[in-house]
């Protein structure tokens, strides 16, 4: 009875060969979303700012409870990810001549935060472990037990090994690794078995709610201290009516409700809010470091639009755990080094190291890694 895109995508993969209308509905939704949110309105946004004919969205830091950045006029964070027009639409966001668009993502940030908050030994080992022979086995040499090293350093491979009993070297990307990756990220959001089932079906995994619950149970037995941390946050919310995270609090309505559905949702928020809120705190701190240590020196040295050198670095967006900028092409490699350094030294230090991955390209569709 729902036209939610996640539901429709799961239905399409399961019953699309029987009911072509499901694909038609999804295509219509994506096309209408692009047309209504962006295509029809972009000319107005461009004409609004005559000094550079660019789009300048309105950003707010107080609209989202977890601290995520919110954008409006236009809602740039709602760009379509699926559908035949989505990729082509991303190609429409282009850098000016001599410049590239670049982005840096905090790798597995919420899982790293969960590892820090729960102090689960399996998670801590995965983010701390460095195989001393990694370069050798990546080059095809067997300097160590590759499977053992991967199990110690890769949460997705480890969860897949626990569920399927298959060593990492024999795991199939779509059958084993993808569903375990989906489950690990669902864990940090406190997802229910139904929500996980929908996500797994979106990724082509044929599973029902019982099967999804088995995956959740597997995470509970693999990461033994995560259920304890979850119980502590739920107890805190029931005791105080709120949970604390990063110097902030979030009131959790319905945590003592007699309605099981409302209470279950409140318990999920009590668990997931500190994880997502701490992750966004780290992102904001990283942005301050980037501005002070990277962007301001560039501006002082004359690298700004209209300056004598005609080269500049322009911050554009924060999309969840990623920062997007526009940068002169010949400055991109230097900026990459500085961005990685800045994004790994936010004041809120976790008990596991942060990981940063970067990519760049002429537009937001054709991006490649540094």
């Amino acid at each position: 009875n729902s036209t939610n895109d996640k539901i429709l995508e799961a239905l399409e993969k399961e019953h699309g060969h029987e009911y072509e209308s499901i694909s038609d509905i999804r295509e219509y939704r994506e096309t209408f979303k692009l047309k209504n949110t962006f295509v029809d309105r972009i000319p107005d946004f461009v004409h609004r700012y005559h000094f550079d004919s660019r789009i300048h969205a309105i950003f707010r830091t107080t609209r989202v409870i977890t601290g995520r950045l919110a954008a409006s006029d236009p809602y740039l964070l709602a760009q379509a990810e699926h559908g035949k027009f989505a990729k082509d639409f991303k190609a429409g966001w282009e850098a000016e001549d001599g410049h590239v668009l670049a982005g840096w993502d905090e790798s597995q940030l919420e899982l790293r935060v969960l590892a820090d908050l729960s102090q689960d030994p399996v998670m801590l080992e995965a983010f701390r472990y460095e195989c001393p022979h990694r370069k050798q086995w990546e080059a095809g040499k067997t300097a160590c037990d590759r499977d053992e090293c991967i199990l110690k350093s890769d949460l997705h491979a480890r969860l897949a090994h626990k569920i399927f009993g298959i060593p990492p070297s024999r795991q199939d990307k779509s059958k084993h690794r993808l569903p375990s990756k989906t489950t690990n990220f669902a864990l940090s959001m406190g997802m229910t078995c139904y929500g996980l089932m929908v996500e797994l079906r979106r990724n082509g995994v044929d599973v029902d709610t019982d099967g999804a619950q088995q995956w959740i149970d597997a995470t509970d037995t693999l990461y033994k201290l995560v259920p304890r941390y979850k119980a502590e946050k739920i107890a805190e919310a029931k005791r105080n009516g709120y949970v604390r995270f990063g110097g902030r609090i979030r009131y959790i309505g319905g945590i003592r409700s007699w309605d099981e559905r409302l209470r279950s949702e409140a318990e999920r928020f009590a668990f997931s809010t500190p994880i997502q809120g701490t992750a966004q705190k780290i992102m904001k701190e990283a942005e301050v470091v980037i501005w002070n240590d990277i962007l301001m020196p560039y501006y002082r040295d004359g690298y700004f639009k209209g300056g004598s050198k005609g080269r500049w670095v322009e911050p554009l967006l924060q999309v969840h755990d990623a920062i997007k900028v526009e940068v002169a092409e010949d400055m991109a490699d230097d900026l990459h080094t500085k961005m990685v350094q800045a994004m790994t030294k936010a004041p809120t230090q976790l008990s596991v190291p942060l990981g940063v991955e970067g990519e760049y390209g002429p537009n937001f569709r054709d991006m490649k890694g540094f």
Side-chain angles (χ1 to χ4, degrees):
N1 296 325
S2 173
T3 57
N4 180 284
D5 189 61
K6 291 183 178 181
I7 301 294
L8 289 174
E9 185 173 2
L11 288 172
E12 182 181 19
K13 289 184 176 180
E14 186 173 358
H15 302 292
H17 61 286
E18 301 177 68
Y19 305 101
E20 296 181 1
S21 59
I22 300 175
S23 299
D24 294 336
I25 293 172
R26 290 197 68 222
E27 183 177 330
Y28 173 82
R29 283 170 54 92
E30 290 293 341
T31 305
F32 182 80
K33 179 180 177 181
L34 282 172
K35 180 179 183 297
N36 188 55
T37 308
F38 295 107
V39 177
D40 289 345
R41 304 187 67 192
I42 278 178
D44 294 333
F45 293 127
V46 172
H47 296 151
R48 185 179 297 178
Y49 301 95
H50 300 288
F51 61 89
D52 65 356
S53 296
R54 285 191 160 205
I55 295 172
H56 296 265
I58 299 172
F59 294 96
R60 295 183 176 88
T61 60
T62 57
R63 287 296 181 92
V64 183
I65 292 175
T66 58
R68 280 183 171 171
L69 199 66
S72 59
D73 291 336
Y75 183 23
L76 292 174
L77 309 185
Q79 296 182 48
E81 294 290 336
H82 309 287
K84 66 180 183 180
F85 298 118
K87 288 187 177 181
D88 291 336
F89 183 79
K90 282 188 173 183
W93 303 102
E94 294 185 344
E96 291 199 17
D97 291 342
H99 291 70
V100 293
L101 300 179
W104 289 268
D105 181 77
E106 291 275 14
S107 176
Q108 300 183 7
L109 179 57
E110 291 181 350
L111 282 175
R112 293 173 193 266
V113 171
L114 178 56
D116 177 77
L117 294 176
S118 68
Q119 288 295 294
D120 180 79
V122 173
M123 288 187 142
L124 293 175
E125 179 185 46
F127 292 121
R128 290 171 176 171
Y129 183 76
E130 291 257 353
C131 172
H133 308 291
R134 185 179 183 88
K135 290 184 179 179
Q136 286 90 330
W137 62 252
E138 282 182 344
K141 301 176 182 178
T142 55
C144 66
D145 186 338
R146 178 178 176 181
D147 281 339
E148 182 181 348
C149 287
I150 293 177
L151 287 175
K152 288 181 178 178
S153 61
D154 190 329
L155 289 178
H156 307 325
R158 191 156 184 169
L159 180 59
H161 178 261
K162 181 171 184 61
I163 293 173
F164 298 106
I166 299 174
S169 58
R170 290 171 42 213
Q171 289 176 8
D172 180 80
K173 184 176 181 180
S174 59
K175 291 182 180 179
H176 307 126
R177 182 173 176 81
L178 183 59
S180 66
K181 182 178 180 180
T182 303
T183 304
N184 274 328
F185 285 118
L187 172 67
S188 64
M189 295 185 289
M191 193 174 288
T192 63
C193 62
Y194 178 77
L196 178 58
M197 178 197 72
V198 172
E199 285 296 319
L200 289 170
R201 287 188 174 185
R202 286 185 66 192
N203 292 319
V205 181
D206 186 15
V207 66
D208 56 14
T209 53
D210 291 337
Q213 185 61 52
Q214 291 178 3
W215 282 80
I216 293 176
D217 293 341
T219 65
D220 288 343
T221 55
L222 180 59
Y223 315 126
K224 291 184 171 59
L225 294 191
V226 171
R228 187 180 76 174
Y229 169 74
K230 182 176 182 179
E232 289 172 353
K233 299 312 291 184
I234 292 174
E236 177 187 342
K238 287 182 177 179
R239 183 172 61 251
N240 302 325
Y242 59 80
V243 291
R244 293 184 178 274
F245 61 98
R248 302 173 60 199
I249 64 173
R250 177 184 180 180
Y251 288 95
I252 308 293
I255 193 67
R256 304 187 190 96
S257 174
W258 57 268
D259 187 319
E260 184 178 354
R261 183 182 63 82
L262 289 177
R263 189 174 65 254
S264 176
E265 185 78 353
E267 290 176 351
R268 185 175 71 84
F269 288 147
F271 168 67
S272 64
T273 296
I275 301 169
Q276 297 177 30
T278 303
Q280 289 309 304
K281 182 172 184 279
I282 291 173
M283 289 301 299
K284 286 187 168 64
E285 291 174 345
E287 289 171 348
V288 173
V289 174
I290 290 167
W291 181 261
N292 291 332
D293 294 0
I294 301 175
L295 298 182
M296 283 307 296
Y298 278 139
Y299 292 153
R300 284 196 299 267
D301 293 340
Y303 297 114
F304 55 88
K305 189 171 182 181
S308 58
K309 298 184 180 180
R311 298 151 70 232
W312 74 92
V313 180
E314 184 70 30
L316 299 179
L317 285 171
Q318 178 209 331
V319 184
H320 303 321
D321 301 334
I323 294 175
K324 313 285 188 181
V325 307
E326 183 174 4
V327 57
E329 191 168 4
D330 59 352
M331 297 167 61
D333 288 332
D334 178 56
L335 181 63
H336 171 64
T337 302
K338 294 180 178 180
M339 289 288 287
V340 171
Q341 292 174 349
M343 292 177 70
T344 53
K345 69 172 187 179
T348 298
Q349 289 295 308
L350 305 178
S351 53
V352 295
L354 296 175
V356 179
E357 299 173 350
E359 60 180 4
Y360 71 99
N363 57 62
F364 280 135
R365 181 190 64 183
D366 304 321
M367 307 281 278
K368 61 181 181 180
F370 280 94

